[in-house]
Amino acid sequence: MHNEKAVKGIIAEIAREVQEGIEALAQGQEPVSLAEWEGGMLELRKRVDVLMLKACALALGTGNCGSELPCECGGRLRLVGNRPKRILTLLGTLPLKRAYYHCASCGASRVPLDERLGVGKDRQSLGVKQTTLLVCALMPNGRAMDLLGELGIPHVSEKESQRIVRELGGEVVAERDREADLWRREHAAPVEEVRRRVPERLAVLMDGTMAHTDGAWHEGKVGAFYVFDERGEAVGEKGCVATFKGIEHFRALWDTEAQRWHMAEAKHVVALCDGSPWTWNTVEECCPAHTFELLDFYHAAEHLGSVASGIWGEGSERGAEWVEEQKTRLLEGRLEAFFEELGRWAKVEKYREVVEPHLGYFERNRSRLRYREALVRGYPISSGVVEAACKTIIGLREKQPGMRWRQDTAEVIAHLRCIYYSGRWSAFRRRWLHKPARTA
């Protein structure tokens, strides 16, 4: 340990501060309320944190490695002197003095202490950056920094938080993409942040939602995974992926996520989709052969509602009754009667233009209308989980009034929210803390 005598002196000072602070609260003439005690302890902690950071800075030393070091150019990096640097940590500001080396031949420089601590040009610890990523994923940057300040947690400015989201968040997304690429090309298993057993019953879903990025509205594609019980109800954690980078990239991410859920080994796999061709193509490409494909019942009902509105008018009682009759036919597996009814209305010249597109929708998905069989098997028939995921991952953060996004930033925020709402943030944070030091 460097500066041992000075460090021990500060440790003794910390002990005195703690003892005196507690005694002052305990020996006051008036009884101390819990709120007063808590406030006093918080102020004491602030003073102790400052002393601890000062002691840590002394104990770390300057990183002095002698008067010179070899340079990659073949010359010598010579000690210029000690240069100060203040690094924001979750405890406060760490005031360092670091030995600085410079090569006159090529102009290169080195700061050994920075290299050892894994800090580069930035002036924040990885803990501060990760905290910034989390709160900015959950709410707008300005409000996020205000919240940290209100909680007494050291934080950066709103502008600096935007840089951290772009740069560190960009690294997180790039690693996600590399992992998906490795799975696609080499079938290298992805990192499984939350270790799972092979599920017996797994539901897989996907949908899209729009957000304003790069000056126009673009679709973000969202996939969801969850385990369900014998009644078709979700149990335990849910997982999700999201991207604005197009269908092929979505498929790569979705397929990689499926490996984390051991989809291929699950005994029962149910794919619930809204009928869009890209969703069924993804299921065909990525899901095992025994996957039970099912048209989301909510979307089926929406199409029936559109037919009823076109025939009887919006909100009509007769239309509502008709929709319920067709839903009952679907649930009971009476598909011949169902298609006969839609076909009858499609033949009426007055309503043909209204009915035919919806009839075509059901005909294209006829093999996926097995609701009676699904209910008997205890399978879910509605994709509410992925509808909620679209709202939670993209809608609530990226579709607030007046919001306009760069697509790369929208991608970062969506992915960070996927990590958080999939219950993986703690595992993700630990994994990144143990990554090789970044010195760039």
Side-chain angles (χ1 to χ4, degrees):
M1 180 171 65
H2 298 276
N3 303 301
E4 185 173 357
K5 184 176 180 180
V7 171
K8 287 183 177 180
I10 295 175
I11 292 172
E13 186 178 353
I14 291 172
R16 287 194 300 273
E17 280 276 1
V18 172
Q19 182 176 351
E20 291 172 3
I22 293 175
E23 288 176 350
L25 286 172
Q27 295 175 1
Q29 293 183 354
E30 297 293 330
V32 177
S33 68
L34 178 60
E36 291 171 324
W37 174 86
E38 186 176 48
M41 289 296 99
L42 287 172
E43 288 301 317
L44 175 60
R45 191 181 73 177
K46 289 179 183 177
R47 297 197 299 273
V48 169
D49 284 349
V50 170
L51 291 170
M52 283 198 303
L53 288 164
K54 182 179 177 181
C56 287
L58 289 170
L60 288 169
T62 64
N64 189 303
C65 297
S67 60
E68 60 181 30
L69 293 170
C71 182
E72 290 183 354
C73 74
R76 306 297 292 178
L77 290 151
R78 302 193 185 279
L79 177 64
V80 176
N82 293 333
R83 295 197 173 178
K85 185 171 188 176
R86 296 171 66 82
I87 298 178
L88 183 66
T89 75
L90 291 175
L91 292 176
T93 301
L94 179 65
L96 296 175
K97 289 183 179 179
R98 311 113 65 233
Y100 176 81
Y101 292 81
H102 180 264
C103 177
S105 300
C106 68
S109 61
R110 280 186 63 189
V111 182
L113 183 59
D114 285 4
E115 295 171 7
R116 178 155 64 90
L117 295 178
V119 297
K121 297 177 181 179
D122 295 342
R123 295 180 177 270
Q124 304 89 26
S125 69
L126 184 56
V128 167
K129 291 179 181 180
Q130 288 181 328
T131 302
T132 301
L133 285 185
L134 174 58
V135 293
C136 290
L138 298 179
M139 64 185 71
N141 293 51
R143 284 170 46 197
M145 296 304 100
D146 289 344
L147 175 63
L148 292 179
E150 185 65 26
L151 295 174
I153 298 173
H155 62 89
V156 299
S157 66
E158 180 180 356
K159 184 176 181 180
E160 184 67 4
S161 74
Q162 294 169 349
R163 184 192 67 80
I164 290 171
V165 168
R166 282 196 310 272
E167 294 182 6
L168 183 57
E171 288 184 40
V172 176
V173 167
E175 181 173 278
R176 174 203 69 177
D177 293 348
R178 282 192 297 271
E179 194 171 62
D181 186 55
L182 279 172
W183 168 252
R184 279 262 157 148
R185 289 189 295 105
E186 304 174 14
H187 276 224
V191 173
E192 190 173 0
E193 289 97 339
V194 179
R195 180 63 57 184
R196 294 185 175 88
R197 294 178 298 177
V198 176
E200 182 175 356
R201 295 165 170 255
L202 181 67
V204 298
L205 315 91
M206 60 201 82
D207 203 351
T209 186
M210 305 298 285
H212 201 281
T213 66
D214 289 350
W217 289 95
H218 292 97
E219 185 178 52
K221 295 187 179 346
V222 179
F225 299 76
Y226 69 89
V227 177
F228 62 92
D229 61 18
E230 293 81 359
R231 297 171 297 175
E233 296 180 0
V235 291
E237 295 176 349
K238 301 177 181 68
C240 50
V241 294
T243 185
F244 288 92
K245 295 184 179 182
I247 180 58
E248 289 306 318
H249 195 73
F250 171 79
R251 283 183 184 143
L253 297 178
W254 195 87
D255 193 23
T256 306
E257 180 68 11
Q259 311 315 310
R260 291 193 177 93
W261 287 84
H262 311 291
M263 178 178 67
E265 302 165 71
K267 184 177 180 180
H268 302 273
V269 180
V270 178
L272 280 160
C273 299
D274 65 0
S276 302
W278 70 267
T279 61
W280 297 125
N281 290 340
T282 303
V283 170
E284 183 178 349
E285 180 179 330
C286 302
C287 288
H290 66 277
T291 300
F292 191 96
E293 297 181 14
L294 200 61
L295 182 69
D296 167 48
F297 192 73
Y298 174 80
H299 282 89
E302 274 192 332
H303 280 264
L304 291 172
S306 296
V307 172
S309 295
I311 297 174
W312 291 285
E314 188 79 30
S316 76
E317 185 175 337
R318 177 67 190 102
E321 291 174 355
W322 183 86
V323 168
E324 290 304 313
E325 290 169 3
Q326 307 322 307
K327 286 166 63 177
T328 299
R329 283 172 171 164
L330 285 175
L331 291 173
E332 292 178 351
R334 294 186 285 129
L335 296 186
E336 287 189 14
F338 173 81
F339 279 101
E340 182 179 331
E341 175 68 9
L342 284 180
R344 180 172 69 84
W345 285 105
K347 291 175 183 176
V348 179
E349 183 68 29
K350 182 179 179 181
Y351 303 120
R352 181 175 300 156
E353 190 174 334
V354 171
V355 179
E356 279 191 340
H358 301 286
L359 175 58
Y361 170 81
F362 285 109
E363 286 176 337
R364 288 191 300 275
N365 290 285
R366 185 166 190 147
S367 64
R368 304 177 180 111
L369 302 178
R370 297 183 290 162
Y371 300 112
R372 183 172 180 274
E373 183 181 351
L375 292 172
V376 169
R377 292 189 179 194
Y379 291 171
I381 64 171
S382 178
S383 65
V385 169
V386 77
E387 298 285 341
C390 286
K391 182 177 181 180
T392 299
I393 300 303
I394 293 177
L396 293 176
R397 179 66 178 90
E398 300 183 336
K399 296 175 71 172
Q400 295 188 27
M403 281 192 168
R404 300 291 184 268
W405 293 83
R406 287 173 38 172
Q407 185 166 304
D408 56 352
T409 308
E411 185 81 8
V412 167
I413 293 296
H415 179 51
L416 294 174
R417 289 174 73 85
C418 283
I419 294 172
Y420 180 77
Y421 286 106
S422 296
R424 298 178 188 161
W425 190 270
S426 294
F428 156 79
R429 179 179 55 79
R430 288 192 299 270
R431 184 156 65 93
W432 271 71
L433 282 174
H434 291 91
K435 291 178 79 62
R438 298 171 179 80
T439 57

